[in-house]
Amino acid sequence: MKQTETTSSSAAEGRKRGKWGYIWPLWTTLLLHLLAILLFTAGFLLTRTELPYHSQCSDVSRSPCFSSNNGSCWTKPAVNRVVLIVLDALRFDFVVPSTFFAEAKPWMDKLPVLKNAASTRPLSARIFKAIADPPTTSLQRLKGLTTGGLPTFVDVGNSFGAPAIVEDNFINQLVQNGKKVVMMGDDTWTQLFPHHFERSYPYPSFNVKDLHTVDNGCIDHLLPSLYEEDWDVLIAHFLGVDHAGHIFGVDSTPMIEKLEQYNTILERVIEVLENQSGSGSSHENTLLVVMGDHGQTLNGDHGGGSAEEVETALFAMSFKKPLSSVPPEFDSCSIHQDLDAMNVCISSMQQLDFAVTVSALLGIPFPYGSIGHINPELYALGADSWNSDASQKLSESDVWMQNYANALCINSWQVKRYVDAYSASSAVGFSRDEFSRIASIYAQAENHWSHFTKKLLLDRQNNSNISVSALKEQIDAYFKFLTAVTELARSKWTEFDLNMMGIGIGIMLISLIFQVFTVLRTTKEHDGTLSSSGDSWIVNGSILTIFLLGIRAFSFLSNSYILEEGKVANFLLSTSGVLTLRQSVIKGKLLIESIGFLILSTFCRFAIEVGLSKQAATSAFMKDYTSWIINIASGLPVWDYAAEVVPIAVLILLAAWLYKASSGSFFDWPWKYVILGTILSYMLIIAHWITDSNRFDGALIPQSVGRTYIPRIIYAIALGQLLFLTFGQLFKKSNLDCKTDLVAKTTSMLSAWSSTVILLSGKQGPMVAFASIFGGCFIMKFVNIEGKDGPQRSFSIMQWSLFATCLFFCSGHWCAFDGLRYGAAFIGFEEFVLVRQAILLTIDTFGFSIILPVFGLPFLVASMYQTNLGKHFIFTQLSQMYTTYGLITAITTTFTILCVTIQRRHLMVWGLFAPKFVFDVFNLILTDVFICLASIYYFDQGREDPEVKSPGG
C-alpha cells in the first residue's frame, strides 16, 4: 500500500514537473562540456606564435657574415630554376632498392628511374631519407616544407579547408624577389598561397576514390611547361599514390600501377631536362627535386608519428658538372648494392631543412621563422656554380666549404634572430635557462667566426692558405647551435596556456558533480525516499560500476593502454560478463544468456584483433572503401564466396526480423511505415553490393546507378524517416500505454538510422549490427537479474557503454586520424563537399558506438518497466539512465584531458595523446548532443496508465 501511495504521489509530481523538468539537466550538461572543452582546447591546442615579420634582402647587412656581392640576396645562387615534383604519401621503400631491406615486397623497385640516376651519377643525383615531423597530414607537411618551421597539431582540423599561410615562407620569398612560380595538381597549394602563382592548375584533392584526375592534370601541364621559360620554380603535386593507399592499401595492384605510371613520367621529365641542359639552354642550371610530403602505413593511412608515416624519400638531381666529392665529415651516405649490383648511396635529412636549403641554392632570403639548417649534401649539388670565382690554387672542395661556412653563418644568424624575436613577442617563449644556453652556443660560434674564420676568408683573395680544419670547426660550431635550437623547438614549439587548461578542467569537474547530483536526485524521486532498497541500489550498483569505470579511466594515463584501448574495453566487458554469469548461477536464471554474452564478447575480441592487425601491419584488410571482412582469409575460394554472401544473408535476416517486429498491432502509423522504409533500404544496400561486386552479374543494374544513385536513395529514405518520426508525433497523439509507446518509438528510430550506418560500414556492417542486437538483448535481460530494485541497473548501463566502445573497434576504427575511413564519406558521391562528407564520415565512425547505443538506451528502461508505475517512472528512468550514460563518457574523457595535461611534453603527445584527446572530446560532445535529441524525442506526452491516473483509486 505504501509503494502504491509513493508511486501515485511521484506520478502527480511528474505531471506537475513537466517534460522539460527532466530534460534541462541534459542540456545544461552539454553546455558545460562545450564550455570546458573550448577553454581547455584553447589552452592545449594553441598554435605557436606566428610572427608577422618577413625576411628582406637588406637584412643580411646586419649579420656578421658575408653577403653576396653579385646583386643577388643572402647567398650566391647555385641554381637558376627548380622543378619540384611532390608525390603525395611517397613511402621511403617506394624509392630505395629492395636490397636495402630484409625482405623484398611487391611495391618495391617500381621507381627504378630514380635509383638508376643515383647509381650512375652519384655526384649529381642523390636519394635522401627525408624525416617529417608529425602529425603527417598533407596540410601540415606543406606548411612545414615551405616555412621551415614546425606546424602545430591544431592545423589537422584545417586539412579539409586550408587557410592561407600568413607566416613568412619559401613561396612568399620567391615571389617577393621576382621569381615566378607555376603550380599544378593538389589544390591545397592554391588555398595556402592564393595569390602567389604566375600560373596554376589546381585540381580537387579530397575525393580519395579518384586516383587519376589530379595526376592526369599534372601530366597534361607538366611536360609542356618544361619547355616554357616563364617560370623559375615549377611545382607539380601528384595525389594518386596517396589515394590508392587510402582505398586499396600499399600491397595492391592499383598502387603498383600508380608507381609504374610515375616511373614513366619521371623518365620523360629527366629526359627533357637532360636534353635542354647544355650551355646556354633553358635547363643548364636547373635542379630537379622529387619528394614525398609524408609516408603512409601499409594500409594507406597517415597522420601519426610511426616510422612508416614520417619516413619519406627525397631525390635531387643537378644537370651540370658536379662537385667531385662532399667532405666525408658532412656526408651521411650509406651505400648498398641494388639488384643490378650497382652501388646506390642513400643519405638522410630532415624535412625541416628543405626550405632553407632550397632558398640558399636559389639565393633568396630564408623564411623568417625557419629553424632548419642548410643540408650539406643537397647544397653540394650546386657547387659547380662557384668554381669560376675561386682561385686556381684552391680545390673545388675548399671553395664549396668556404661558401657553405658563410651560408651556415647567415643561416645561424637568421635562426638566432627568430629565436630572439619569438622570445620577445611570445606570451611564453623559451625559459631564461634555455634561452641563455642557446645564446651561449651561438656566441661561441660567432666569436670563432669574427676572430678567426672571417679573416681567413677575407685573405683568400690573396691566395693565403685556407685552414680546412678551421672551416670544419666553424661549421661544427654552427651545427651545434642549429641542432640545439631545433631540439628545443621540438620540445617547446607549442605554448600551453595552463590557466585556460586549468579553467577547462575545473568546469569539467563541475559538470561531473552536476551529473552525479542529477543521478542522485532522480534516484531519490524514483524510490520516493532513500529506503534500504534505494540505498542498496546506490551502494552495490556503484561499486560494480565504479570498479570497471575506474580501471578504464585510469588506463588512459598510459600510452600503452591507449594503444590497446580496444582490448582493454573488451577485457572489461568480458569481466562484467563473468560477474553476470556468477549472479546467474546464484539466482538460477538467465544462465544461457550469460554464456551467450561471454561468447559474443569473444567474437568482439576477434574483430578487434582484426582491426588492430589492419592498424599495425597489413593492408590485406583494406579492400575497396571500408570492408576488412572480405580479405580476412583471401585466397580460399569458399571464404571468398562466403564473404560476399554472408553479409547479404545477415542483412536479409535483419530485414525479416524487422518485418516480423512491425507486424505487431502496436506498430501503427508512423512507426510501421518507417520500418518498411528501412526494409526497402536494406534491399537497396544488397543491390548496391551486388553491383559493386565482381562475383555477381550486375548487368541488370548499371554500375553508375548501383554505386552512385542507390546510396543517395538510401540517404534520402533515412532523412525522410527521421523527419517523419520527428514531426509525425506532433500530429498524432499516441493511444498506447507508456511501455509499448517507448518500445515502438525506439525500434523505429534505430531502424531509421541503421540503413545508413550499415551502408557506410561496408560488408561488415550487417555482422556488427547483428552483434549489437544480440548484445543489447542480453544486457536488457540482465537488468532485472536482481529484481526491479537490484544493483544490476547501473551495472547494465556500464555494460552498455563498454559494449558500445567495443563496437567502435569491432567496426575497424581506432582513435587516430589514420583510423578514419575517408572512403566511406564518398559512398554515393564523387565530388567533395565539406559538410556532406563530414556528416557521412561522422556517421560511419560513430554510428555503431554512439548513435545507435544512445537511441537504443530506452530499451533498458522498457525492460525494467512494470505496470501501474506510470509515465513518471518512464521519464525518471530515462533521465537517470541518460545522465548516467553521459556521466560514464564524461569521466573517461576527463581522464583523457588529465592525461594530455600531464603528458603535454611527452615525445608522443602529438602522435598519440592529442589524437586520443580529439576523438574523446568529439565522442563526448556527440554523445551529449544525441542524448539531448533523444530526450526531446522520447520525453513526449504518451497516454498514462489508467491505474496511475487516479491516485485515490
Side-chain angles (χ1 to χ4, degrees):
M1 183 65 180
K2 181 179 180 181
Q3 177 65 38
T4 303
E5 293 174 356
T6 301
T7 303
S8 300
S9 62
S10 297
E13 179 185 344
R15 287 192 297 272
K16 181 179 178 181
R17 183 177 175 185
K19 170 182 176 179
W20 293 102
Y22 298 95
I23 293 177
W24 74 264
L26 303 175
W27 288 86
T28 302
T29 300
L30 170 61
L31 294 177
L32 286 173
H33 287 165
L34 282 172
L35 181 60
I37 289 171
L38 285 174
L39 291 174
F40 182 87
T41 303
F44 177 66
L45 294 183
L46 278 177
T47 58
R48 60 182 171 82
T49 302
E50 293 186 350
L51 303 183
Y53 311 124
H54 292 73
S55 297
Q56 305 292 334
C57 278
S58 59
D59 293 347
V60 73
S61 62
R62 295 191 290 270
S63 76
C65 319
F66 295 109
S67 59
S68 177
N69 56 7
N70 59 354
S72 61
C73 257
W74 290 14
T75 57
K76 294 181 180 180
V79 297
N80 296 331
R81 310 176 87 185
V82 173
V83 177
L84 175 60
I85 298 178
V86 180
L87 305 181
D88 208 288
L90 183 71
R91 284 170 58 97
F92 179 59
D93 58 5
F94 286 166
V95 176
V96 179
S98 58
T99 53
F100 275 58
F101 304 95
E103 181 182 358
K105 298 294 184 181
W107 58 84
M108 297 179 181
D109 301 316
K110 303 304 178 186
L111 291 171
V113 61
L114 303 182
K115 179 266 299 181
N116 292 339
S119 60
T120 57
R121 303 173 60 172
L123 298 178
S124 58
R126 179 158 293 196
I127 297 174
F128 296 83
K129 175 192 285 187
I131 310 299
D133 289 286
T136 47
T137 59
S138 293
L139 167 66
Q140 290 177 295
R141 288 295 82 236
L142 293 183
K143 291 188 71 172
L145 286 169
T146 55
T147 64
L150 293 170
T152 53
F153 179 85
V154 74
D155 292 329
V156 169
N158 293 324
S159 287
F160 287 101
I165 296 179
V166 296
E167 193 175 13
D168 195 13
N169 57 81
F170 168 64
I171 303 297
N172 177 72
Q173 287 297 332
L174 287 171
V175 176
Q176 184 175 295
N177 289 276
K179 306 289 186 181
K180 296 179 179 180
V181 186
V182 172
M183 192 285 304
M184 58 203 67
D186 186 348
D187 62 353
T188 303
W189 286 89
T190 56
Q191 297 175 46
L192 294 174
F193 310 102
H195 308 296
H196 293 71
F197 300 119
E198 185 75 11
R199 287 185 286 117
S200 63
Y201 307 97
Y203 296 89
S205 58
F206 284 107
N207 184 1
V208 294
K209 297 173 69 176
D210 183 357
L211 307 185
H212 306 296
T213 298
V214 177
D215 289 357
N216 291 340
C218 286
I219 295 170
D220 291 342
H221 298 288
L222 174 57
L223 293 173
S225 295
L226 294 178
Y227 295 95
E228 303 291 337
E229 297 188 4
D230 63 341
W231 56 268
D232 299 290
V233 175
L234 185 152
I235 300 171
H237 192 143
F238 291 77
L239 279 175
V241 161
D242 179 71
H243 289 186
H246 281 304
I247 301 303
F248 300 101
V250 170
D251 187 8
S252 65
T253 300
M255 177 63 76
I256 293 174
E257 291 174 348
K258 266 295 161 189
L259 292 174
E260 291 173 344
Q261 180 190 28
Y262 287 175
N263 189 71
T264 302
I265 296 168
L266 293 174
E267 284 179 340
R268 296 170 63 186
V269 169
I270 291 175
E271 180 183 357
V272 171
L273 294 178
E274 283 186 322
N275 291 338
Q276 299 191 37
S277 62
S279 178
S281 299
S282 58
H283 295 299
E284 176 186 6
N285 197 15
T286 296
L287 178 70
L288 170 65
V289 178
V290 181
M291 65 183 302
D293 53 348
H294 51 75
Q296 58 178 301
T297 61
L298 290 178
N299 58 294
D301 299 320
H302 58 88
S306 68
E308 290 180 308
E309 295 166 279
V310 301
E311 291 180 0
T312 183
L314 185 149
F315 168 83
M317 183 176 184
S318 176
F319 295 89
K320 59 185 178 182
K321 180 183 176 182
L323 180 69
S324 59
S325 64
V326 177
E329 293 86 352
F330 312 121
D331 195 343
S332 63
C333 174
S334 173
I335 298 178
H336 292 263
Q337 286 191 337
D338 62 12
L339 294 175
D340 301 321
M342 296 285 291
N343 289 334
V344 181
C345 173
I346 306 296
S347 300
S348 180
M349 68 176 292
Q350 299 289 323
Q351 276 194 357
L352 192 68
D353 303 334
F354 175 80
V356 65
T357 305
V358 178
S359 296
L361 287 169
L362 286 167
I364 61 175
F366 309 158
Y368 191 94
S370 171
I371 58 172
H373 74 270
I374 300 172
N375 181 273
E377 295 158 282
L378 184 56
Y379 191 64
L381 294 178
D384 183 63
S385 299
W386 304 314
N387 286 347
S388 59
D389 298 334
S391 169
Q392 297 298 319
K393 294 184 178 181
L394 298 177
S395 68
E396 61 179 11
S397 178
D398 290 343
V399 174
W400 173 86
M401 196 175 300
Q402 293 174 28
N403 284 280
Y404 185 58
N406 186 64
L408 277 183
C409 175
I410 299 174
N411 187 183
S412 299
W413 166 81
Q414 167 262 322
V415 171
K416 179 60 166 58
R417 179 184 66 167
Y418 170 70
V419 170
D420 292 344
Y422 185 86
S423 296
S425 304
S426 171
V428 179
F430 302 117
S431 69
R432 180 177 299 179
D433 291 341
E434 292 165 339
F435 184 80
S436 298
R437 180 173 63 86
I438 59 176
S440 174
I441 297 174
Y442 178 75
Q444 294 176 12
E446 185 182 6
N447 182 67
H448 189 277
W449 171 268
S450 300
H451 293 86
F452 187 70
T453 309
K454 192 172 184 178
K455 292 181 180 179
L456 288 176
L457 295 179
L458 285 172
D459 290 340
R460 69 181 179 182
Q461 300 297 331
N462 301 322
N463 298 330
S464 298
N465 292 327
I466 301 296
S467 173
V468 174
S469 61
L471 286 175
K472 291 179 179 179
E473 184 179 348
Q474 183 66 65
I475 292 171
D476 288 340
Y478 284 137
F479 272 177
K480 182 180 180 181
F481 165 72
L482 293 168
T483 301
V485 173
T486 302
E487 291 175 351
L488 179 61
R490 283 200 171 99
S491 65
K492 306 284 286 186
W493 55 270
T494 296
E495 299 174 359
F496 298 107
D497 189 333
L498 296 181
N499 292 329
M500 294 285 282
M501 293 169 66
I503 294 173
I505 293 174
I507 296 177
M508 198 71 192
L509 295 176
I510 291 173
S511 74
L512 296 182
I513 296 172
F514 176 77
Q515 287 176 285
V516 171
F517 172 78
T518 303
V519 172
L520 295 177
R521 184 173 64 89
T522 54
T523 300
K524 183 176 180 180
E525 289 179 4
H526 169 255
D527 292 327
T529 59
L530 283 178
S531 61
S532 59
S533 174
D535 189 58
S536 172
W537 183 90
I538 296 172
V539 176
N540 296 334
S542 296
I543 289 175
L544 294 172
T545 303
I546 291 173
F547 172 74
L548 296 177
L549 181 59
I551 294 177
R552 174 161 162 73
F554 279 101
S555 70
F556 291 160
L557 300 178
S558 166
N559 63 321
S560 299
Y561 280 97
I562 291 177
L563 288 170
E564 303 290 347
E565 182 183 359
K567 293 182 180 179
V568 173
N570 182 260
F571 172 79
L572 295 178
L573 183 67
S574 300
T575 302
S576 72
V578 172
L579 294 174
T580 303
L581 178 61
R582 175 181 177 274
Q583 289 299 105
S584 298
V585 173
I586 293 175
K587 298 294 182 180
K589 58 181 180 180
L590 299 179
L591 186 60
I592 295 177
E593 288 83 352
S594 299
I595 295 174
F597 187 73
L598 287 175
I599 294 174
L600 178 63
S601 178
T602 303
F603 278 110
C604 287
R605 175 57 183 265
F606 169 74
I608 291 171
E609 290 287 353
V610 170
L612 290 176
S613 299
K614 171 183 175 292
Q615 174 184 1
T618 178
S619 63
F621 305 109
M622 192 66 173
K623 184 70 173 177
D624 201 43
Y625 44 80
T626 52
S627 299
W628 48 254
I629 194 73
I630 293 178
N631 279 343
I632 291 180
S634 58
L636 298 177
V638 175
W639 174 257
D640 289 342
Y641 283 104
E644 297 276 3
V645 174
V646 170
I648 295 176
V650 174
L651 196 56
I652 293 174
L653 184 63
L654 291 174
W657 177 83
L658 268 181
Y659 180 77
K660 182 178 179 180
S662 66
S663 63
S665 58
F666 60 88
F667 273 95
D668 199 357
W669 182 93
W671 305 305
K672 190 179 189 70
Y673 299 103
V674 169
I675 292 178
L676 290 177
T678 300
I679 294 173
L680 174 61
S681 294
Y682 286 176
M683 298 303 106
L684 290 174
I685 291 174
I686 293 174
H688 169 69
W689 287 342
I690 291 175
T691 304
D692 214 33
S693 174
N694 296 325
R695 300 186 183 279
F696 299 99
D697 184 9
L700 296 177
I701 305 176
Q703 279 198 347
S704 60
V705 174
R707 293 186 175 182
T708 303
Y709 293 103
I710 287 181
R712 295 183 184 182
I713 294 172
I714 295 171
Y715 300 147
I717 292 174
L719 181 60
Q721 289 172 307
L722 293 175
L723 294 175
F724 202 42
L725 289 173
T726 302
F727 296 104
Q729 61 184 357
L730 299 179
F731 303 102
K732 180 183 177 182
K733 202 71 173 179
S734 176
N735 294 319
L736 302 175
D737 63 83
C738 293
K739 178 179 179 179
T740 306
D741 182 73
L742 184 64
V743 170
K745 294 182 68 174
T746 304
T747 304
S748 301
M749 179 59 72
L750 292 179
S751 69
W753 278 102
S754 64
S755 57
T756 301
V757 174
I758 291 174
L759 172 67
L760 296 177
S761 297
K763 288 188 172 67
Q764 71 264 30
M767 272 70 76
V768 179
F770 199 71
S772 65
I773 291 174
F774 269 93
C777 290
F778 287 147
I779 296 174
M780 286 163 54
K781 290 181 177 293
F782 299 155
V783 170
N784 293 316
I785 196 171
E786 289 277 0
K788 67 182 183 68
D789 287 322
Q792 197 68 23
R793 291 183 298 179
S794 64
F795 189 63
S796 295
I797 301 174
M798 186 66 211
Q799 282 184 312
W800 197 274
S801 175
L802 288 172
F803 187 54
T805 302
C806 288
L807 290 177
F808 174 80
F809 293 95
C810 287
S811 55
H813 298 96
W814 59 89
C815 293
F817 293 105
D818 55 356
L820 295 173
R821 296 188 306 219
Y822 298 102
F826 291 91
I827 296 178
F829 301 98
E830 295 295 332
E831 65 281 359
F832 176 78
V833 178
L834 177 60
V835 175
R836 181 182 63 203
Q837 264 58 60
I839 291 173
L840 293 178
L841 186 62
T842 300
I843 295 174
D844 168 66
T845 306
F846 299 104
F848 282 115
S849 59
I850 294 180
I851 299 175
L852 297 183
V854 168
F855 281 113
L857 200 58
F859 277 136
L860 291 182
V861 177
S863 64
M864 70 176 64
Y865 185 86
Q866 297 184 10
T867 57
N868 305 330
L869 293 180
K871 186 170 60 181
H872 173 64
F873 175 88
I874 293 285
F875 285 4
T876 302
Q877 285 297 303
L878 281 175
S879 177
Q880 184 185 78
M881 285 199 167
Y882 274 128
T883 305
T884 304
Y885 191 83
L887 176 62
I888 291 171
T889 306
I891 289 175
T892 56
T893 303
T894 300
F895 271 81
T896 300
I897 292 174
L898 292 174
C899 173
V900 296
T901 303
I902 296 171
Q903 307 283 11
R904 63 187 183 277
R905 296 299 181 191
H906 194 281
L907 179 64
M908 299 178 68
V909 63
W910 305 121
L912 176 64
F913 296 113
K916 171 63 176 170
F917 164 77
V918 171
F919 270 78
D920 275 13
V921 297
F922 190 80
N923 177 83
L924 175 63
I925 296 303
L926 202 62
T927 299
D928 286 343
V929 168
F930 278 103
I931 284 176
C932 291
L933 295 176
S935 68
I936 295 176
Y937 175 69
Y938 290 123
F939 286 73
D940 68 343
Q941 302 297 322
R943 182 174 65 84
E944 185 64 273
D945 291 341
E947 294 84 349
V948 184
K949 283 186 177 180
S950 302

